[in-house]
């Protein structure tokens, strides 16, 4: 299994605090020692940092923790390999272009019988079930929507039905973003929290770090953080239900099938 | 205009020395202050570092200079914007998947009348002539080779004929790699050097740095460096000719149309 971390915000926000907690699970407080990656969107562009090394020992992870990159959409993943060897090409998140946008995907879980999924022109480069599932999603989306659909909410609802099919193959917890929308799909382990004024202090579970968001934010900021397991122990995180999907935009949950 | 840097090697080699020279041209000894990027392949996977900031002031560029990432195929670019604004999505190199491999492209020059180029399903995300030309190349390649061709040398010769067409639209100096092969195409400004035993000292033009490759290498190492302008002032660099393409593999020039 692996751990996922995502963020959606209405103003460029740095994720150093949450990332610091997650990174400890990469070989120190958690067993996820088989690589890590994080993608930050800035407009339509993105930055990716990846390492097949344990995140708790990665020099690049250290830079990401210390260097506040501000973004409205972030997807991160730390890996405990099951399908696919420990290699850079098997390190999440995966990014591909569709409809003139970069789409970024990260998966937690394990699938069986996934090799029969048809991916068309979207060929996997590595040999993980996750990347193949992502290629299949892109292939299915391109089949149904040859051009970028006007109604993105409907498109994401269709993605959720595709995720329902993947869930029949095993455990499929997912983060998917085009840099503007952030979609989550849950099989068994995914939590989220939306922070907005009045902001308070937050305390990490995995590291002796506390932050007072009051000092870091402005009253209009809205920031949602999604994680496999809650990262703080003094806030109320929502646990997502099996088969639940949520769509976040500028920090707000704007669609979904579960209880918000 | 911009500056290109590429490397092909038969053993994982760090490019810190050459990169240090190039980075100075990003706002200090050169005018290329509109962003920079570098892609390192490790097997079929890759790492990308990018910044729309001037490379001579970039914290991330500093990490790349200090942290020796060893690779057999590297493509780097520093930008002086002409077509397309200063934004992350317009920052080279550009990477896309084709035939189950990641292809990375960087361009130096400027094209006119490029908007009529058909890119099929490979949609540009940014608004540079360079990314559009890359998407056109991928589209043309996929049309001719629906599957990964067995004869890669022939495929690269075909790429060269496509580059000849792009050269009719303006200045087109290019680096293209799948992580295994590194292809260069020259319109007016591209130089290369192959270093092998017996190795000697090299002195950067742009920075007070000298290196003794004898100390850094083993006798079997073969490392080719490609750059817009020579990076050292005590070595003999080959100047590429207009319309010349070269194909490098494991540090050796294995094909091309010009004089090697």
């Amino acid at each position: 299994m692996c751990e996922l971390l995502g963020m959606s915000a209405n103003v460029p926000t740095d994720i150093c605090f949450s990332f610091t907690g997650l990174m400890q699970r990469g070989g120190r407080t958690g067993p996820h020692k088989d690589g890590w990656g994080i993608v930050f969107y800035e407009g339509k562009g993105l930055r990716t940092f990846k390492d097949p090394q344990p995140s708790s020992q990665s020099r690049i992870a250290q830079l990401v923790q210390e260097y506040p990159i501000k973004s409205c959409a972030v997807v991160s993943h730390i890996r405990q390999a099951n399908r696919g060897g420990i290699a850079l090409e098997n390190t999440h998140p995966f990014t591909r272009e569709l409809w003139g946008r970069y789409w970024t995907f990260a998966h937690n879980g394990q699938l069986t019988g996934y090799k029969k999924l048809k991916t068309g022109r979207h060929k996997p480069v590595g040999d993980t079930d996750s990347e193949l599932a992502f290629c299949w999603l892109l292939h299915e989306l391109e089949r149904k929507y040859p051009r970028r659909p006007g109604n993105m909410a409907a498109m994401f609802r269709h993605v959720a039905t595709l995720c329902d099919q993947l869930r029949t193959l095993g455990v499929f917890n997912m983060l998917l973003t085009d840099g503007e929308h952030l979609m989550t799909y849950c099989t068994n382990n995914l939590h989220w929290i939306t922070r907005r004024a009045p902001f308070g202090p937050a305390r990490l579970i995995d590291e002796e770090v506390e932050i007072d968001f009051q000092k870091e934010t402005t009253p209009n900021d809205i920031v949602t953080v999604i994680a496999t397991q809650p990262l703080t122990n003094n806030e109320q995180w929502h646990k997502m239900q099996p088969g639940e999907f949520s769509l976040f935009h500028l920090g707000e949950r704007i669609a979904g099938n579960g209880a918000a």
Side-chain angles (χ1 to χ4, degrees), chain A residues 93-108:
Chain A
F94 302 102
T95 300
R96 299 281 179 111
E97 175 270 327
L98 181 65
W99 306 320
R101 289 294 185 98
Y102 293 119
W103 289 82
T104 295
F105 167 97
H107 166 226
N108 149 269

Side-chain angles (χ1 to χ4, degrees), chain A residues 7-248:
Chain A
M7 186 188 78
S8 170
N10 66 339
V11 292
T13 304
D14 84 63
I15 197 169
C16 294
F17 174 73
S18 300
F19 188 74
T20 297
L22 185 76
M23 289 300 95
Q24 302 312 313
R25 299 180 183 178
R28 200 174 71 82
T29 63
H32 315 91
K33 53 172 179 31
D34 302 329
W36 65 278
I38 187 165
V39 170
F40 300 87
Y41 279 81
E42 291 179 28
K44 291 156 80 181
L46 54 83
R47 288 171 207 274
T48 302
F49 299 91
K50 282 187 179 188
D51 222 330
Q53 314 302 323
S55 52
S56 61
Q57 299 159 28
S58 164
R59 167 88 185 265
I60 298 169
Q62 191 188 341
L63 171 90
V64 175
Q65 273 179 67
E66 296 167 358
Y67 179 62
I69 295 171
K70 291 183 180 289
S71 172
C72 291
V74 175
V75 168
S76 181
H77 180 276
I78 55 177
R79 181 161 188 243
Q80 184 179 12
N82 43 51
R83 306 261 187 255
I86 300 169
L88 199 52
E89 68 267 26
N90 290 336
T91 305
H92 306 221
F94 302 102
T95 300
R96 299 281 179 111
E97 175 270 327
L98 181 65
W99 306 320
R101 289 294 185 98
Y102 293 119
W103 289 82
T104 295
F105 167 97
H107 166 226
N108 149 269
Q110 189 164 355
L111 305 177
T112 54
Y114 58 91
K115 288 191 172 139
K116 65 177 187 305
L117 297 170
K118 298 257 179 302
T119 66
R121 59 104 167 171
H122 302 273
K123 303 270 187 303
V125 173
D127 49 13
T128 61
D129 50 356
S130 308
E131 187 191 10
L132 195 141
F134 180 38
C135 291
W136 176 76
L137 283 172
L138 293 172
H139 176 55
E140 290 294 317
L141 286 176
E142 199 168 39
R143 271 181 35 181
K144 188 174 168 75
Y145 305 102
R147 278 176 205 71
R148 186 169 204 268
N151 184 339
M152 290 299 275
M155 189 281 293
F156 280 106
R157 279 192 295 275
H158 180 62
V159 174
T161 65
L162 296 170
C163 294
D164 292 336
Q165 296 180 51
L166 290 171
R167 187 159 66 101
T168 65
L169 302 179
V171 175
F172 189 75
N173 301 298
M174 174 197 84
L175 300 180
L176 178 70
T177 182
D178 65 350
E180 192 180 332
H181 309 82
L182 178 63
M183 175 182 172
T184 64
Y185 185 86
C186 177
T187 293
N188 59 357
N189 270 319
L190 213 49
H191 295 75
W192 63 283
I193 185 169
T194 299
R195 297 180 180 123
R196 65 180 82 229
F199 292 95
R203 215 170 34 245
L204 283 182
I205 292 169
D206 298 80
E207 182 79 321
E208 280 303 311
V209 176
E210 181 159 327
I211 189 170
D212 183 356
F213 284 114
Q214 183 83 56
K215 297 201 187 78
E216 312 286 329
T217 54
T218 71
N220 299 328
D221 295 5
I222 300 169
V223 181
T224 291
V225 173
I226 301 115
T228 297
Q229 295 297 333
L231 292 164
T232 59
N233 55 17
N234 66 324
E235 299 178 296
Q236 192 54 51
W237 291 67
H238 305 274
K239 180 175 174 44
M240 294 185 187
Q241 301 307 310
E244 179 178 342
F245 86 89
S246 292
L247 183 62
F248 298 93

